[in-house]
Amino acid sequence: DTGVSQNPRHKITKRGQNVTFRCDPISEHNRLYWYRQTLGQGPEFLTYFQNEAQLEKSRLLSDRFSAERPKGSFSTLEIQRTEQGDSAMYLCASSAVLGTEAFFGQGTRLTVV
Amino acid sequence: DQQVKQNSPSLSVQEGRISILNCDYTNSMFDYFLWYKKYPAEGPTFLISISSIKDKNEDGRFTVFLNKSAKHLSLHIVPSQPGDSAVYFCAANGYGGATNKLIFGTGTLLAVQP
């Protein structure tokens, strides 16, 4: 499978715990995006990387959120001290630098109880 | 403030007929627009896009129309098939498609009845 892969698919955590999600983009894609989708809403942009450089962060990404893309390959999104409001689907997408189409993974559904 | 709006939460059409999904935007800086389709438990899948220098783009059964003066775009699916049943998201950005930092609408659930 050469698509965007996200792990885990589902995560249930207790409030206050830290969680980390992983995204493996399509191998030749330089750009990697994180989005968050809550019920009844469209995906909301969180951050994106070109290779290992994090080029932009949304103001939705509070200090409890951090994303990394070491070596410009896979990426991780960590949420510290989770809150119930963090419950959402976290989507990763990748694209070529000159590509106008982003390919999305299946997402990680986070439930904070 | 919702910059991309899809005012119809759902749409039901008969198989073989035309499906028309609508999208309005408020930001005049947007110059690239996309439609994504999403099945349950899957990520969004790119469908078709249009640059603001065009007013129509066609790909098989899918056609997107852009009316810049009205800040409105629509997706036409002809003929509609049961496999088209999904949530359709309109998205936009102001980078001419050079990046996929996108602003999405809230989606329209299309149900195609056999």
Side-chain angles (χ1 to χ4, degrees):
Chain A
D1 184 7
T2 57
V4 178
S5 177
Q6 291 189 248
N7 288 288
R9 293 289 308 279
H10 304 274
K11 179 71 177 179
I12 300 175
T13 191
K14 292 183 178 179
R15 189 174 51 190
Q17 297 294 305
N18 299 345
V19 293
T20 300
F21 311 140
R22 177 178 170 126
C23 172
D24 288 273
I26 293 172
S27 59
E28 61 267 26
H29 284 180
N30 305 90
R31 289 188 172 173
L32 186 147
Y33 304 79
W34 285 99
Y35 284 83
R36 179 175 70 187
Q37 185 178 14
T38 53
L39 197 62
Q41 300 296 315
E44 296 174 294
F45 169 79
L46 293 178
T47 188
Y48 91 93
F49 294 82
Q50 181 164 314
N51 299 313
E52 65 274 13
Q54 188 172 19
L55 296 187
E56 190 166 347
K57 292 169 59 173
S58 163
R59 55 189 167 84
L60 292 175
L61 216 62
S62 76
D63 291 345
R64 296 184 298 105
F65 288 71
S66 63
E68 294 183 344
R69 193 183 183 197
K71 303 178 183 178
S73 55
F74 71 91
S75 176
T76 58
L77 178 67
E78 181 183 17
I79 309 175
Q80 297 182 328
R81 304 180 304 282
T82 52
E83 302 173 355
Q84 286 189 319
D86 297 331
S87 296
M89 174 74 82
Y90 289 84
L91 294 162
C92 176
S94 70
S95 70
V97 170
L98 297 180
T100 53
E101 175 184 346
F103 294 82
F104 281 83
Q106 293 179 300
T108 294
R109 179 165 295 284
L110 173 66
T111 303
V112 182
V113 297
Chain B
D1 178 34
Q2 194 75 23
Q3 298 185 70
V4 177
K5 302 177 185 178
Q6 294 177 258
N7 292 318
S8 298
S10 63
L11 175 68
S12 182
V13 299
Q14 289 294 121
E15 181 178 5
R17 306 293 293 268
I18 184 171
S19 295
I20 300 177
L21 297 101
N22 294 303
C23 178
D24 297 292
Y25 61 97
T26 58
N27 190 335
S28 58
M29 298 300 292
F30 288 155
D31 60 5
Y32 198 79
F33 305 90
L34 307 90
W35 285 93
Y36 277 83
K37 179 171 72 174
K38 186 179 184 302
Y39 293 117
E42 294 186 11
T45 302
F46 171 76
L47 206 53
I48 192 169
S49 62
I50 188 167
S51 165
S52 61
I53 62 174
K54 295 184 175 181
D55 54 20
K56 176 182 173 182
N57 190 26
E58 191 172 353
D59 183 2
R61 297 186 297 115
F62 303 92
T63 303
V64 57
F65 294 92
L66 175 63
N67 182 334
K68 285 175 293 193
S69 61
K71 294 191 176 66
H72 177 84
L73 63 156
S74 60
L75 174 68
H76 292 211
I77 307 173
V78 181
S80 301
Q81 299 173 354
D84 295 329
S85 297
V87 177
Y88 288 78
F89 290 101
C90 172
N93 73 26
Y95 304 96
T99 173
N100 280 284
K101 178 193 171 187
L102 301 172
I103 307 298
F104 281 84
T106 53
T108 296
L109 174 62
L110 173 66
V112 180
Q113 309 297 334

